[in-house]
Amino acid sequence: MPSKHSGNAIVTGGARGIGLETVRLLARKGMRVGCLDIDRAAAEEAATQLKVDGLQVEPIVVDVTDRLRVQQSFDTFLSGQPLCAVINNAVFIRFQPFSELTDESLEKTLDVGLKGAIWCIQAALPALRRAAETFSDAAIVNVSSGAAFQGSVGFSAYSSLKAGLTGLTRQLAVELGRDGIRSNSVAPGPIPTESALADPGKPSDWTSGALKRTPLGRMGTPAEVAEVIAFLATRPSSWVNGQVISVDGGKSISSHDLR
Ligand SMILES: NC(=O)c1ccc[n+]([C@@H]2O[C@H](COP(=O)([O-])OP(=O)(O)OC[C@H]3O[C@@H](n4cnc5c(N)ncnc54)[C@H](O)[C@@H]3O)[C@@H](O)[C@H]2O)c1
Protein backbone atom coordinates (compact mmCIF):
# COMPACT_ATOMS: atom_id res chain seq x y z
CA MET A 1 0.00 0.00 0.00
CA PRO A 2 1.54 3.36 -0.99
CA SER A 3 2.29 5.55 2.00
CA LYS A 4 1.04 8.93 0.79
CA HIS A 5 -1.45 10.08 -1.82
CA SER A 6 -4.14 12.69 -2.19
CA GLY A 7 -7.13 10.34 -2.24
CA ASN A 8 -8.28 7.20 -4.04
CA ALA A 9 -10.08 7.04 -7.38
CA ILE A 10 -11.34 4.16 -9.52
CA VAL A 11 -11.75 4.41 -13.30
CA THR A 12 -13.67 1.64 -15.07
CA GLY A 13 -12.53 0.72 -18.56
CA GLY A 14 -9.24 2.27 -17.48
CA ALA A 15 -6.89 0.17 -19.59
CA ARG A 16 -7.14 2.12 -22.84
CA GLY A 17 -8.62 5.14 -24.61
CA ILE A 18 -10.35 7.84 -22.57
CA GLY A 19 -10.21 5.69 -19.42
CA LEU A 20 -6.44 5.27 -19.59
CA GLU A 21 -5.87 9.02 -20.04
CA THR A 22 -8.15 9.64 -17.04
CA VAL A 23 -6.18 7.17 -14.92
CA ARG A 24 -2.96 8.90 -15.95
CA LEU A 25 -4.23 12.41 -15.24
CA LEU A 26 -5.76 11.62 -11.84
CA ALA A 27 -2.56 9.83 -10.82
CA ARG A 28 -0.51 12.83 -11.97
CA LYS A 29 -2.68 14.94 -9.66
CA GLY A 30 -1.38 12.77 -6.81
CA MET A 31 -4.26 10.30 -6.49
CA ARG A 32 -3.93 6.56 -6.02
CA VAL A 33 -5.93 5.21 -8.95
CA GLY A 34 -7.54 1.83 -9.56
CA CYS A 35 -7.32 1.02 -13.27
CA LEU A 36 -10.37 -1.26 -13.49
CA ASP A 37 -10.82 -3.30 -16.64
CA ILE A 38 -12.04 -6.69 -17.82
CA ASP A 39 -8.89 -7.00 -19.95
CA ARG A 40 -6.28 -8.31 -17.51
CA ALA A 41 -3.27 -7.96 -19.80
CA ALA A 42 -4.12 -4.38 -20.78
CA ALA A 43 -4.91 -3.28 -17.20
CA GLU A 44 -1.69 -4.79 -15.82
CA GLU A 45 0.37 -3.34 -18.67
CA ALA A 46 -1.15 0.13 -18.15
CA ALA A 47 -0.52 0.04 -14.40
CA THR A 48 3.05 -1.19 -14.87
CA GLN A 49 3.83 1.57 -17.38
CA LEU A 50 2.35 4.29 -15.19
CA LYS A 51 4.20 3.01 -12.12
CA VAL A 52 7.46 3.35 -14.08
CA ASP A 53 6.55 7.04 -14.37
CA GLY A 54 6.25 7.17 -10.57
CA LEU A 55 2.45 7.19 -10.50
CA GLN A 56 0.32 5.25 -7.99
CA VAL A 57 -1.84 3.05 -10.19
CA GLU A 58 -3.15 -0.43 -9.34
CA PRO A 59 -4.84 -2.79 -11.81
CA ILE A 60 -8.30 -3.99 -10.79
CA VAL A 61 -9.29 -6.85 -13.06
CA VAL A 62 -13.03 -7.42 -13.00
CA ASP A 63 -16.10 -7.49 -15.26
CA VAL A 64 -18.34 -4.58 -14.18
CA THR A 65 -21.42 -6.73 -14.82
CA ASP A 66 -20.40 -9.14 -12.03
CA ARG A 67 -21.93 -7.39 -9.04
CA LEU A 68 -20.38 -9.59 -6.34
CA ARG A 69 -16.85 -9.47 -7.74
CA VAL A 70 -17.12 -5.73 -8.30
CA GLN A 71 -17.90 -5.32 -4.60
CA GLN A 72 -15.03 -7.61 -3.62
CA SER A 73 -12.53 -5.84 -5.87
CA PHE A 74 -13.52 -2.38 -4.60
CA ASP A 75 -13.19 -3.59 -1.00
CA THR A 76 -9.76 -5.11 -1.70
CA PHE A 77 -8.46 -1.97 -3.44
CA LEU A 78 -9.75 0.38 -0.75
CA SER A 79 -9.33 -1.74 2.42
CA GLY A 80 -11.45 0.69 4.41
CA GLN A 81 -10.00 3.93 2.97
CA PRO A 82 -12.22 6.70 1.54
CA LEU A 83 -12.86 6.84 -2.21
CA CYS A 84 -12.82 10.38 -3.61
CA ALA A 85 -14.09 9.52 -7.10
CA VAL A 86 -15.53 6.71 -9.16
CA ILE A 87 -15.51 7.19 -12.93
CA ASN A 88 -17.85 4.95 -14.93
CA ASN A 89 -16.31 4.73 -18.38
CA ALA A 90 -16.42 1.04 -19.41
CA VAL A 91 -18.50 0.35 -22.47
CA PHE A 92 -19.60 -2.35 -24.88
CA ILE A 93 -20.60 -1.03 -28.30
CA ARG A 94 -22.15 -2.84 -31.25
CA PHE A 95 -23.61 -0.49 -33.85
CA GLN A 96 -26.55 -2.17 -35.62
CA PRO A 97 -29.57 -0.95 -37.59
CA PHE A 98 -32.55 -0.85 -35.22
CA SER A 99 -34.44 -3.57 -37.14
CA GLU A 100 -31.47 -5.94 -36.70
CA LEU A 101 -30.88 -5.23 -33.02
CA THR A 102 -30.42 -8.54 -31.22
CA ASP A 103 -31.36 -9.47 -27.69
CA GLU A 104 -27.74 -10.36 -27.01
CA SER A 105 -26.19 -7.08 -28.13
CA LEU A 106 -28.88 -4.92 -26.49
CA GLU A 107 -28.50 -6.80 -23.22
CA LYS A 108 -24.71 -6.60 -23.23
CA THR A 109 -24.75 -2.89 -24.09
CA LEU A 110 -27.07 -2.08 -21.17
CA ASP A 111 -25.41 -4.57 -18.80
CA VAL A 112 -21.89 -3.18 -19.22
CA GLY A 113 -22.67 0.51 -19.59
CA LEU A 114 -25.67 1.03 -17.31
CA LYS A 115 -26.02 -1.87 -14.88
CA GLY A 116 -22.23 -2.04 -14.57
CA ALA A 117 -22.13 1.63 -13.60
CA ILE A 118 -24.87 1.04 -11.01
CA TRP A 119 -23.00 -1.91 -9.47
CA CYS A 120 -19.79 0.14 -9.32
CA ILE A 121 -21.51 3.11 -7.69
CA GLN A 122 -23.22 0.82 -5.16
CA ALA A 123 -19.92 -0.87 -4.37
CA ALA A 124 -18.29 2.55 -3.97
CA LEU A 125 -20.98 4.13 -1.86
CA PRO A 126 -19.71 3.50 1.71
CA ALA A 127 -16.22 4.68 0.69
CA LEU A 128 -17.62 7.71 -1.16
CA ARG A 129 -19.53 8.61 2.02
CA ARG A 130 -16.28 8.31 3.98
CA ALA A 131 -14.60 10.67 1.50
CA ALA A 132 -17.48 13.16 1.73
CA GLU A 133 -17.12 13.15 5.53
CA THR A 134 -13.31 13.31 5.53
CA PHE A 135 -12.64 15.71 2.64
CA SER A 136 -16.06 17.43 2.28
CA ASP A 137 -16.25 16.17 -1.31
CA ALA A 138 -16.78 12.94 -3.23
CA ALA A 139 -17.65 12.51 -6.88
CA ILE A 140 -19.28 10.17 -9.35
CA VAL A 141 -18.47 10.86 -13.01
CA ASN A 142 -20.36 8.94 -15.67
CA VAL A 143 -18.99 8.97 -19.21
CA SER A 144 -22.01 9.53 -21.41
CA SER A 145 -21.93 10.57 -25.09
CA GLY A 146 -23.34 13.07 -27.54
CA ALA A 147 -25.37 10.03 -28.66
CA ALA A 148 -27.54 10.50 -25.55
CA PHE A 149 -29.00 13.61 -27.21
CA GLN A 150 -28.43 13.31 -30.97
CA GLY A 151 -29.52 10.55 -33.34
CA SER A 152 -27.33 8.52 -35.68
CA VAL A 153 -28.23 5.48 -37.77
CA GLY A 154 -27.27 2.27 -35.95
CA PHE A 155 -26.85 3.85 -32.52
CA SER A 156 -30.20 2.87 -30.89
CA ALA A 157 -28.81 0.52 -28.21
CA TYR A 158 -25.84 2.77 -27.45
CA SER A 159 -28.01 5.88 -27.38
CA SER A 160 -30.49 4.17 -25.01
CA LEU A 161 -27.61 3.29 -22.73
CA LYS A 162 -26.16 6.79 -22.70
CA ALA A 163 -29.55 8.46 -22.19
CA GLY A 164 -30.09 6.08 -19.26
CA LEU A 165 -26.70 6.95 -17.81
CA THR A 166 -27.53 10.64 -18.08
CA GLY A 167 -30.80 10.09 -16.20
CA LEU A 168 -28.96 8.11 -13.55
CA THR A 169 -26.42 10.93 -13.19
CA ARG A 170 -29.16 13.45 -12.42
CA GLN A 171 -31.07 11.13 -10.09
CA LEU A 172 -27.96 10.43 -8.03
CA ALA A 173 -27.08 14.12 -7.91
CA VAL A 174 -30.29 14.56 -5.95
CA GLU A 175 -30.37 11.34 -3.96
CA LEU A 176 -26.68 11.25 -2.97
CA GLY A 177 -26.11 15.00 -3.00
CA ARG A 178 -27.68 15.05 0.45
CA ASP A 179 -24.66 12.99 1.60
CA GLY A 180 -22.16 15.35 -0.03
CA ILE A 181 -21.58 13.08 -3.03
CA ARG A 182 -21.73 14.87 -6.39
CA SER A 183 -22.78 13.16 -9.64
CA ASN A 184 -21.95 14.54 -13.09
CA SER A 185 -21.43 13.35 -16.67
CA VAL A 186 -19.27 14.19 -19.61
CA ALA A 187 -20.67 13.75 -23.10
CA PRO A 188 -17.73 13.41 -25.50
CA GLY A 189 -18.05 13.89 -29.23
CA PRO A 190 -16.26 11.43 -31.52
CA ILE A 191 -12.76 10.57 -30.33
CA PRO A 192 -10.68 8.34 -32.62
CA THR A 193 -9.80 5.71 -30.01
CA GLU A 194 -8.63 2.35 -31.27
CA SER A 195 -11.93 0.64 -30.49
CA ALA A 196 -14.17 3.45 -31.80
CA LEU A 197 -12.38 3.32 -35.14
CA ALA A 198 -12.42 -0.48 -35.26
CA ASP A 199 -16.19 -1.03 -34.82
CA PRO A 200 -17.35 -2.59 -38.10
CA GLY A 201 -20.96 -1.37 -37.73
CA LYS A 202 -20.03 2.28 -37.35
CA PRO A 203 -21.29 4.57 -40.15
CA SER A 204 -18.72 4.93 -42.94
CA ASP A 205 -18.84 8.74 -42.66
CA TRP A 206 -18.29 8.67 -38.87
CA THR A 207 -15.07 10.67 -39.08
CA SER A 208 -15.85 12.93 -42.07
CA GLY A 209 -19.40 13.66 -40.82
CA ALA A 210 -18.07 14.64 -37.39
CA LEU A 211 -15.43 16.90 -38.89
CA LYS A 212 -18.01 18.73 -41.03
CA ARG A 213 -20.24 19.43 -38.02
CA THR A 214 -17.56 20.35 -35.49
CA PRO A 215 -16.86 24.09 -35.33
CA LEU A 216 -13.29 23.47 -34.22
CA GLY A 217 -12.80 21.34 -37.34
CA ARG A 218 -10.91 18.46 -35.77
CA MET A 219 -11.48 15.36 -33.70
CA GLY A 220 -10.82 15.48 -29.97
CA THR A 221 -8.29 13.41 -28.07
CA PRO A 222 -8.76 11.09 -25.08
CA ALA A 223 -6.58 13.45 -23.03
CA GLU A 224 -8.92 16.40 -23.71
CA VAL A 225 -11.88 14.40 -22.39
CA ALA A 226 -9.83 13.23 -19.41
CA GLU A 227 -9.20 16.87 -18.41
CA VAL A 228 -12.94 17.48 -17.98
CA ILE A 229 -13.50 14.15 -16.22
CA ALA A 230 -10.67 14.98 -13.80
CA PHE A 231 -12.19 18.41 -13.17
CA LEU A 232 -15.56 16.84 -12.32
CA ALA A 233 -13.86 14.17 -10.18
CA THR A 234 -11.98 16.59 -7.93
CA ARG A 235 -12.51 19.57 -5.63
CA PRO A 236 -12.20 22.38 -8.21
CA SER A 237 -15.73 21.38 -9.31
CA SER A 238 -17.08 21.16 -5.76
CA TRP A 239 -20.19 23.23 -6.59
CA VAL A 240 -21.00 21.37 -9.83
CA ASN A 241 -23.68 18.69 -9.38
CA GLY A 242 -26.11 16.94 -11.71
CA GLN A 243 -24.61 18.37 -14.90
CA VAL A 244 -23.77 16.88 -18.27
CA ILE A 245 -20.83 18.64 -19.90
CA SER A 246 -20.32 18.21 -23.63
CA VAL A 247 -16.69 17.82 -24.64
CA ASP A 248 -17.00 17.87 -28.39
CA GLY A 249 -15.46 20.95 -29.98
CA GLY A 250 -18.97 22.43 -30.27
CA LYS A 251 -20.40 19.60 -32.42
CA SER A 252 -23.57 19.33 -30.32
CA ILE A 253 -24.50 23.01 -30.81
CA SER A 254 -23.94 23.31 -34.56
CA SER A 255 -27.11 22.88 -36.61
CA HIS A 256 -25.61 22.08 -40.01
CA ASP A 257 -22.47 21.08 -41.88
CA LEU A 258 -19.88 23.84 -41.68
CA ARG A 259 -17.48 22.68 -44.38
N1 LIG B 1 -14.41 7.23 -28.47
C1 LIG B 1 -15.48 7.97 -28.73
O1 LIG B 1 -15.67 8.46 -29.85
C2 LIG B 1 -16.49 8.26 -27.66
C3 LIG B 1 -17.46 9.24 -27.89
C4 LIG B 1 -18.42 9.48 -26.90
C5 LIG B 1 -18.39 8.75 -25.73
N2 LIG B 1 -17.43 7.82 -25.54
C6 LIG B 1 -17.47 7.06 -24.29
O2 LIG B 1 -16.21 7.14 -23.66
C7 LIG B 1 -15.97 5.95 -22.92
C8 LIG B 1 -14.62 5.38 -23.31
O3 LIG B 1 -14.61 5.20 -24.72
P1 LIG B 1 -13.29 4.69 -25.47
O4 LIG B 1 -13.48 4.96 -26.91
O5 LIG B 1 -12.10 5.19 -24.75
O6 LIG B 1 -13.48 3.11 -25.23
P2 LIG B 1 -12.45 1.90 -25.31
O7 LIG B 1 -13.16 0.79 -26.00
O8 LIG B 1 -11.13 2.36 -25.85
O9 LIG B 1 -12.26 1.50 -23.78
C9 LIG B 1 -13.28 0.88 -23.08
C10 LIG B 1 -12.65 -0.04 -22.04
O10 LIG B 1 -13.71 -0.68 -21.33
C11 LIG B 1 -13.29 -2.00 -21.03
N3 LIG B 1 -14.45 -2.84 -20.76
C12 LIG B 1 -15.35 -3.29 -21.67
N4 LIG B 1 -16.25 -4.07 -21.07
C13 LIG B 1 -15.93 -4.11 -19.76
C14 LIG B 1 -16.50 -4.77 -18.63
N5 LIG B 1 -17.57 -5.56 -18.77
N6 LIG B 1 -15.91 -4.60 -17.43
C15 LIG B 1 -14.81 -3.81 -17.29
N7 LIG B 1 -14.22 -3.18 -18.33
C16 LIG B 1 -14.78 -3.34 -19.54
C17 LIG B 1 -12.53 -2.44 -22.27
O11 LIG B 1 -11.68 -3.56 -22.02
C18 LIG B 1 -11.78 -1.16 -22.63
O12 LIG B 1 -10.48 -1.14 -22.03
C19 LIG B 1 -17.13 5.02 -23.22
O13 LIG B 1 -18.09 5.10 -22.19
C20 LIG B 1 -17.69 5.58 -24.50
O14 LIG B 1 -19.06 5.29 -24.69
C21 LIG B 1 -16.48 7.54 -26.47
Side-chain angles (χ1 to χ4, degrees):
M1 179 77 57
S3 54
K4 204 158 179 247
H5 55 78
S6 61
N8 293 293
I10 294 176
V11 181
T12 78
R16 56 174 66 79
I18 293 168
L20 175 58
E21 289 311 312
T22 304
V23 169
R24 191 194 313 277
L25 187 55
L26 291 174
R28 279 187 181 151
K29 289 178 185 294
M31 299 183 91
R32 173 176 173 259
V33 187
C35 174
L36 186 155
D37 210 284
I38 196 172
D39 185 336
R40 174 179 295 277
E44 289 180 350
E45 166 74 13
T48 303
Q49 285 297 323
L50 294 169
K51 274 184 185 161
V52 169
D53 296 338
L55 302 175
Q56 295 191 43
V57 176
E58 306 293 330
I60 302 176
V61 180
V62 71
D63 179 343
V64 291
T65 67
D66 188 334
R67 187 179 188 179
L68 183 63
R69 285 189 191 277
V70 164
Q71 182 70 65
Q72 289 167 344
S73 62
F74 273 56
D75 291 348
T76 303
F77 173 73
L78 291 166
S79 54
Q81 295 177 53
L83 178 67
C84 294
V86 59
I87 290 91
N88 293 297
N89 167 79
V91 73
F92 170 82
I93 308 176
R94 175 85 20 97
F95 297 120
Q96 287 176 315
F98 178 69
S99 58
E100 293 169 22
L101 196 58
T102 62
D103 200 21
E104 188 203 5
S105 73
L106 176 62
E107 203 169 296
K108 189 155 184 200
T109 302
L110 297 177
D111 271 1
V112 174
L114 188 55
K115 273 168 81 175
I118 290 171
W119 302 150
C120 287
I121 296 165
Q122 277 193 345
L125 208 45
L128 288 170
R129 288 202 170 102
R130 277 197 291 280
E133 282 166 18
T134 311
F135 306 114
S136 303
D137 192 49
I140 295 163
V141 184
N142 295 319
V143 182
S144 182
S145 167
F149 311 104
Q150 292 181 306
S152 298
V153 173
F155 279 53
S156 54
Y158 181 69
S159 169
S160 302
L161 149 66
K162 294 303 187 181
L165 202 54
T166 304
L168 177 71
T169 300
R170 291 187 170 134
Q171 292 304 317
L172 296 185
V174 174
E175 190 163 337
L176 303 182
R178 297 178 302 179
D179 299 338
I181 300 168
R182 299 178 295 109
S183 168
N184 292 289
S185 271
V186 293
I191 308 289
T193 55
E194 209 176 297
S195 54
L197 289 171
D199 192 295
K202 164 177 65 51
S204 56
D205 66 346
W206 188 75
T207 303
S208 59
L211 288 175
K212 280 185 201 158
R213 289 268 165 92
T214 304
L216 293 184
R218 65 173 177 83
M219 307 291 268
T221 65
E224 287 176 307
V225 180
E227 287 285 352
V228 183
I229 296 173
F231 168 68
L232 292 173
T234 55
R235 283 191 64 85
S237 64
S238 56
W239 193 234
V240 183
N241 191 26
Q243 303 306 305
V244 183
I245 301 188
S246 293
V247 189
D248 64 357
K251 178 172 178 282
S252 54
I253 52 86
S254 75
S255 61
H256 58 276
D257 288 353
L258 298 162
R259 50 185 72 78

